[in-house]
Each structure stands twice: as C-alpha cells, then as structure tokens.
Amino acid sequence: MATTTSLTPPDQHREPPPRLGGVLWWALCAAAALGLAVCSSLGPHRVWGAAAAFGYLAAALVAARGRSSRMSETVALAGAVALPLLWLLAVDRAQLEVRVVARSAALLLAEGTPYLHRPWVPEDFNPYLPGMSVFGLPEALAGPGPLTDPRLWMGAAFLGALAPALPAGSRSAPLRWIAACPLVALPLAVGGVDLPVAGLMCLGLALAGRGRAGAAGLALGAAAALKWTAWPAIPVVLALMTASSRSGGRAAGGAVVRSDGREAGGAVVRSDGRETGRAVVRSRGQEARCAVIRSGGREAGRAASRCGLVALLTAAVLVLPAALRDPGAFRAHVVDFPLGLTDAVSSAASPFPGHLLATHVPGGRTQALLLLGAGALLLALSLLVRPPATAADAAVRLALGLLLATAFMPASRFGYLVYPLVLVAWAAIRQEPGHALLRRVRESAPR
C-alpha cells in the first residue's frame, strides 16, 4: 500500500544559518560609523556615529576574546542603538522625518489630512502616505516626551512585524544581528520611516509563504498605506501565490502501486500532507487511473486573488479618506515632491545614478525617471517569465527591484538600502534552497 509522510513546515525545526560576525565584521561596522560621524552634516547622525563606533569596537574586542556571538551582538546593540537613542531622546534631537511624522499626526487630528495645504520649503512637505501618521499619534494625543517619540513606535512596529516573520524557535538571534547592522541601527536611534515598511513587507511575504492569504494582504496593505516603496511587494507576493497554485495543480497526483498484476490507486496528497481525493481502481487488468484533484490549485489561485483584494482594500481604507480631503495637497506632497516636480527641492541626496543624472545632466531628471520605469518593467517581466517559487525567492526578487529603484530615483538616500538588506537577510535566515544567491551568502558567512 502507498504511504505518505507529512512535510515539516519550511519555517520550523531548522538550525539558523551562520551569521556574519567576528572581529572583521564589527571592525567594518565601526569604520562605517566613524566615517559617518566625521563626514555627516547632521547632528543626530554625528551623535550616532560616535556612539556606534565605540559600540562596534567593543563588540570586536568581545569577539576577539572568543566570546559568543550573542555577547558581541548585545554589546553592539548597546553602543549602536541603546546609547545614542537614550542620549538623543534626552536632548530632544531626531532626524527630520520624526518631526514630519509628529506634525502630520497633529494635522490629521485637527484638519482630517496630514498634509499642509500650501507647503513652501522642503521641511513643510510630508512625502509619506497617510498611514505613516499613526506613529505620531501618541505625541499628538499625549504631548511630546520620551515615550511618545515617533521613532520609538516606528522601531517597535519594525521589530514587532519582523519577529513573527522569522522561523519559529530561532528569532532572537536573527533579530539581534539585523538590529545591530548599521543600516538598521542608525534609523532605530535617530528615526527612520523605512523600518516599519520593511518589517511589514517581510511579514507579508512570510504569511503568503504559509498560505495565509488574508493575513498577508492585511500586512501588505498596511505597508502600502505607509509609503510608496511598499507597493512593489504586492505584485511580487501575487506572483508567488499564483506560481504556487500552478505547481500545486501539477503536483496533485496519486501514488499508484501494482498489486497482483492490477493497477491499484492511492490517495491523492497535496503538499501539506492532507488527502484531497481517492484514486479510481479498475480490476480485470484494466489500467488504474488516478483521479487527479486540482482543487488545491484552484484554492491557491483564489487565495492569491483574496490576498491582492485585501491588500488593496486595506490600503484604500487607510489612504483615501485623507487623500480625498485635499487631493491637491496629497499630490503635491506624495507625488510631485518625491519626483522633484516642485519648486522646493528634497534634501535627499546620495551619489546614486538617478541623483547624479538629475543634478548634473541637462534633462537628467527625465532620464532618471525613464530608468526608474525601465527597472519597474524589468521586475514585472521577471515575475511573468519566471515567477518566484518560494517566499525567500520572492524576497530576493523584491530586494533587487527596490535596489534598482534606489539607484535610479532622482532623490534618494543611503537609508533606502535598508530594504534590500532586511529582505535578503530575512530570506537567508529562512534557509530556503530556492535561490543561488542565498546559498552563496550562507556558504561565505563565517561559522
């Protein structure tokens, strides 16, 4: 008789992959932090750089003495997150984004829209979608203070979304390592609006990989209501779920065995080990044919549609009321200003190709936008030609797309690199074997 064995869920009962660590890693982090402290013109960044360089050097010394990676990561977190965060909270200093979020929440409560009607200078603009204002509500309701600071709530949302997206039973170590990375530790201390978006995208990918379409749609819709950078995650997740439905339909088959010269049919088993149908057995030497049940594929296809619908409805509920309150202000703040179409020029500037084109080449802004569109088109084509097979593969595909967007946006920051960093790190932690890049990352990481 045919037997089946249930499969272990892909995110449980696995040893975590080796993480980058050791003296060299922390020394490189210290060099990066020190470089920011010396070169940055922003006061909060200089404070973070000095404190983080000290913390990373201490972590390198701990690693050099042969202590555990947990000890070195804890020391790095203390120096790169806790120390600068407490100091900046005490002196009420933060990155400009924190004040923008706090002001947007106050405007939302007072006027029903988080956007100033007539912004003049770059500091007046709020380039985020209305959902971002939620992180400023504690301060708007209870007044300024260390516990109502928006950066605390943004950091809590990031960690709270990323933790359940990680494999069960091995969450604390990956969280420590990710939070200690300079690209994450900096916004945790000075304030960063990209962290909750990245965390929710990872949560949406994880839920989609587990087949929880509605919950994945809620997570992706919430991320899409915070910032435009979350929107590419929706088609990537839909491609992942659609590809899973196709493979599920092809895999629906029966275990057929011979018995006394006759063909006997076995149970039709889906990938989750549950029986979906019975094979038809024909006697008298006739060929036994398995009744292939494709209901699993159809269900997965409907799940993809449900995920997309929930995501769009969630984003619409959170965005449209504020956007329709003052459509002109909405467009000026979240469309024209990020694209450089207003008289006020965004302070976002990093030596990426899009910014260099927009700044130094006649008509370069248009060229940068064309390159940005070409990158989006390439991502869409890759999803059609070769859709991601696993959640980890989808995360890497999304990371590459956001990396191209960061490179070609006319106004971009180094901080946007937090998206590909968190996505690739999350995918590598899952240890799914579907992508060659993840295998190389794990093989090159020191043990």
Side-chain angles (χ1 to χ4, degrees):
M1 60 183 294
T3 60
T4 60
T5 303
S6 61
L7 301 177
T8 302
D11 59 349
Q12 296 182 359
H13 308 302
R14 289 179 170 175
E15 292 296 327
R19 302 185 305 281
L20 289 173
V23 179
L24 180 59
W25 168 248
W26 298 122
L28 290 174
C29 292
L34 187 60
L36 184 65
V38 172
C39 300
S40 178
S41 59
L42 302 176
H45 286 200
R46 291 197 300 269
V47 170
W48 178 86
F54 174 78
Y56 289 136
L57 285 175
L61 292 175
V62 170
R65 297 185 62 180
R67 300 296 179 88
S68 65
S69 59
R70 178 175 182 176
M71 178 67 72
S72 59
E73 289 162 357
T74 302
V75 171
L77 281 173
V81 178
L83 181 60
L85 175 60
L86 291 175
W87 174 259
L88 291 171
L89 287 173
V91 299
D92 194 23
R93 297 288 301 278
Q95 196 165 253
L96 176 61
E97 285 87 336
V98 176
R99 302 276 68 85
V100 170
V101 171
R103 184 188 64 210
S104 70
L107 286 171
L108 181 64
L109 293 178
E111 303 179 13
T113 175
Y115 307 108
L116 289 172
H117 181 64
R118 292 179 179 174
W120 296 104
V121 297
E123 291 76 12
D124 291 340
F125 284 90
N126 171 20
Y128 317 120
L129 292 173
M132 192 67 73
S133 303
V134 70
F135 300 113
L137 289 178
E139 181 172 317
L141 293 171
L147 297 182
T148 60
D149 193 285
R151 84 189 90 176
L152 292 181
W153 299 96
M154 289 188 285
F158 167 67
L159 298 175
L162 185 60
L166 295 171
S170 59
R171 289 171 177 165
S172 60
L175 275 179
R176 286 196 307 271
W177 185 86
I178 292 174
C181 288
L183 281 174
V184 177
L186 172 62
L188 281 176
V190 304
V193 296
D194 297 299
L195 288 181
V197 180
L200 286 169
M201 286 195 294
C202 289
L203 180 58
L205 286 165
L207 293 170
R210 298 168 190 166
R212 300 178 58 185
L218 283 173
L220 293 174
L226 300 179
K227 202 173 180 185
W228 289 121
T229 47
W231 284 81
I234 296 178
V236 171
V237 168
L238 295 184
L240 167 66
M241 300 189 76
T242 303
S244 299
S245 71
R246 293 173 181 171
S247 62
R250 290 194 298 268
V256 181
V257 297
R258 282 189 179 275
S259 175
D260 297 331
R262 298 176 182 176
E263 295 284 349
V268 180
V269 182
R270 293 193 310 197
S271 60
D272 59 4
R274 289 184 294 178
E275 184 180 330
T276 61
R278 293 283 181 183
V280 178
V281 181
R282 297 183 183 274
S283 59
R284 298 184 181 179
Q286 296 179 1
E287 180 181 357
R289 302 185 62 185
C290 173
V292 178
I293 307 300
R294 299 183 182 272
S295 61
R298 290 196 297 269
E299 289 177 2
R302 288 194 293 268
S305 300
R306 184 166 65 253
C307 176
L309 181 61
V310 171
L312 293 177
L313 286 177
T314 302
V317 168
L318 295 175
V319 171
L320 287 181
L324 296 177
R325 180 78 174 181
D326 191 343
F330 177 81
R331 176 179 175 179
H333 283 265
V334 304
V335 178
D336 295 343
F337 181 69
L339 294 179
L341 303 178
T342 61
D343 294 333
V345 179
S346 172
S347 60
S350 295
F352 294 126
H355 175 70
L356 294 177
L357 282 173
T359 305
H360 302 292
V361 177
R365 187 173 302 278
T366 300
Q367 298 176 34
L369 293 177
L370 289 175
L371 288 173
L372 185 62
L377 180 60
L378 287 176
L379 176 63
L381 288 176
S382 75
L383 296 177
L384 293 174
V385 174
R386 189 178 179 182
T390 66
D393 190 19
V396 173
R397 194 78 57 87
L398 180 58
L400 292 175
L402 291 174
L403 187 62
L404 287 175
T406 300
F408 296 131
M409 281 191 296
S412 185
R413 298 181 187 271
F414 277 113
Y416 296 160
L417 295 176
V418 72
Y419 292 110
L421 168 70
V422 171
L423 288 167
V424 171
W426 174 81
I429 289 166
R430 286 180 62 90
Q431 282 192 315
E432 292 186 5
H435 203 285
L437 173 62
L438 302 183
R439 290 197 298 269
R440 288 196 293 271
V441 168
R442 291 195 295 269
E443 290 169 358
S444 62
R447 296 182 181 269

